[in-house]
Amino acid sequence: MQTQHLIILSTFLFAAWATPAQAYRGGPDDFGYVFVDSDEADGPVYDWEDISGTGTLVTMDDEQHSPAQNIGFSFNFYGVDYTQVYLGDNGYLSFVTDSILYDDEHYIPEEMPFAGKSQAMIAGVWTDLYPPDGGTFHVETRGTGSNRYFIVQYTDVPVYDYWGPTEYISQQYKLFEGSNVIEVHTLRMDITVEISAGIEDEFGVDGLSYAWDQEITPGTAVRYTPTTSEAECTNATANVDELWPP
């Protein structure tokens, strides 16, 4: 009987987790960031620009962050200008290297914002990944003049194998010069472990959660935009369809 109850409970929990994220639009946070995904009429167009054959290869082992990667231009995030970014092996980017440490179980995702772990952070899919089993990381700056954008690509990076067959993610970050817009494009997400997705400031106190323990459907793009006026913030709030978490 206990076994049956355990099976039923496990099935229920998996079904609850597997529900696709319903956060099509959200924000603003205190700084003014809003997000919208490709399920909305005014959302970003999903556009996977494969840089695995043209970008610079970045290498990482388990529970590591990359060396500083040059963006190629100045990118403003929560009011701070950055010219470099760090890749974390567990799926997220940070502009502050000291925040990607692994003495406080950083491989365990948290709902964002969360002050206890990484800060100045962008998470497409934050979960416990395991690069020693495969996958690649590439970066590339594209565009010309003042219309450049920086791409970070995680390709077929395996999730740490806790219970069964290996699962993978492929995701792509795009940081746009001038507008300071962020886009995340998800190509592959065949995973069943908990994930977090969103952004947060350098203190981990202000930010947005796009998904928390929710499935992100492959072929989805989400755009984070820093609003620049009270009118933009008011309009963003008025058009919220559904926030996650509810």
Side-chain angles (χ1 to χ4, degrees):
M1 184 64 68
Q2 290 180 344
T3 301
Q4 289 179 325
H5 287 165
L6 180 59
I7 292 173
I8 292 171
L9 178 61
S10 299
T11 302
F12 171 78
L13 290 174
F14 176 78
W17 183 93
T19 303
Q22 298 301 309
Y24 302 138
R25 183 189 300 272
D29 61 9
D30 290 343
F31 183 84
Y33 276 96
V34 297
F35 71 77
V36 60
D37 75 12
S38 51
D39 285 334
E40 294 289 279
D42 61 341
V45 175
Y46 175 76
D47 181 19
W48 181 268
E49 299 179 72
D50 185 17
I51 63 169
S52 60
T54 59
T56 300
L57 179 67
V58 179
T59 59
M60 284 184 286
D61 204 341
D62 189 35
E63 312 305 355
Q64 289 187 348
H65 65 76
S66 73
Q69 302 298 309
N70 292 323
I71 297 171
F73 50 86
S74 180
F75 186 82
N76 190 279
F77 187 64
Y78 283 99
V80 181
D81 290 329
Y82 299 98
T83 57
Q84 296 179 318
V85 70
Y86 301 86
L87 285 61
D89 79 298
N90 289 318
Y92 57 83
L93 308 182
S94 177
F95 294 98
V96 185
T97 181
D98 289 344
S99 78
I100 313 185
L101 302 176
Y102 293 95
D103 54 353
D104 292 315
E105 298 184 330
H106 281 59
Y107 58 88
I108 299 176
E110 304 284 355
E111 184 178 3
M112 300 171 70
F114 184 81
K117 295 187 179 178
S118 298
Q119 284 88 50
M121 174 177 167
I122 308 168
V125 175
W126 172 17
T127 193
D128 190 6
L129 303 179
Y130 194 64
D133 277 353
T136 59
F137 309 89
H138 291 84
V139 298
E140 183 177 333
T141 302
R142 291 188 169 184
T144 58
S146 60
N147 296 306
R148 293 168 293 182
Y149 58 105
F150 180 70
I151 300 177
V152 178
Q153 183 169 314
Y154 289 59
T155 308
D156 295 333
V157 181
V159 177
Y160 186 84
D161 187 2
Y162 286 99
W163 301 290
T166 301
E167 303 166 329
Y168 300 87
I169 69 162
S170 294
Q171 62 180 357
Q172 194 170 82
Y173 296 89
K174 298 181 182 181
L175 311 182
F176 291 88
E177 183 178 17
S179 67
N180 300 306
V181 164
I182 302 160
E183 289 184 0
V184 182
H185 299 249
T186 301
L187 175 68
R188 183 179 186 184
M189 186 182 165
D190 51 352
I191 66 177
T192 55
V193 295
E194 66 181 3
I195 67 104
S196 184
I199 60 173
E200 64 182 37
D201 69 5
E202 62 180 319
F203 305 106
V205 296
D206 190 19
L208 293 172
S209 176
Y210 172 65
W212 167 238
D213 266 6
Q214 297 286 301
E215 176 186 359
I216 299 176
T217 305
T220 297
V222 58
R223 180 175 64 224
Y224 299 91
T225 304
T227 53
T228 57
S229 70
E230 183 177 345
E232 284 179 289
C233 289
T234 301
N235 182 64
T237 304
N239 284 297
V240 170
D241 291 333
E242 184 171 356
L243 295 178
W244 179 258

